[in-house]
Amino acid sequence: MPALSSVSSSPTDDGAPLYAERPEWNDVSPLAQYDHTNPIAPIFYSAEYKDATDYFRGIVKTGEKSQRVLELTETIIRLNPAHYSA
């Protein structure tokens, strides 16, 4: 697990920028997992995983079905194969 100091905006392991930095995703509003809550034991994810899942929640809310959603889903599965929602 990365140190908390490494949880920042950075390229993904494969060199691709975070979704928040990609102009083709500007029309999506990412939704944070812990938005307006204060969990007792928050789980700290890597910046790449948090960014991808925030955009995944945003895209689920809109109901979009497209090639880019499929690619986002693949990214999430590759980052965490146990992610059953993707």
Side-chain angles (χ1 to χ4, degrees), residues 19-57:
Y19 287 88
E21 298 168 346
R22 300 180 192 187
E24 65 270 22
W25 286 89
N26 285 344
D27 62 321
V28 177
S29 296
L31 296 174
Q33 180 176 10
Y34 299 121
D35 197 23
H36 305 295
T37 63
N38 191 14
I40 294 172
I43 299 170
F44 293 100
Y45 299 107
S46 69
E48 296 84 6
Y49 186 75
K50 181 183 178 313
D51 177 66
T53 56
D54 287 355
Y55 275 83
F56 182 76
R57 281 187 288 279

Side-chain angles (χ1 to χ4, degrees), residues 2-12 17-21 45-51:
L4 290 179
S5 62
S6 69
V7 179
S8 62
S9 178
S10 65
T12 59
L18 297 175
Y19 287 88
E21 298 168 346
Y45 299 107
S46 69
E48 296 84 6
Y49 186 75
K50 181 183 178 313
D51 177 66

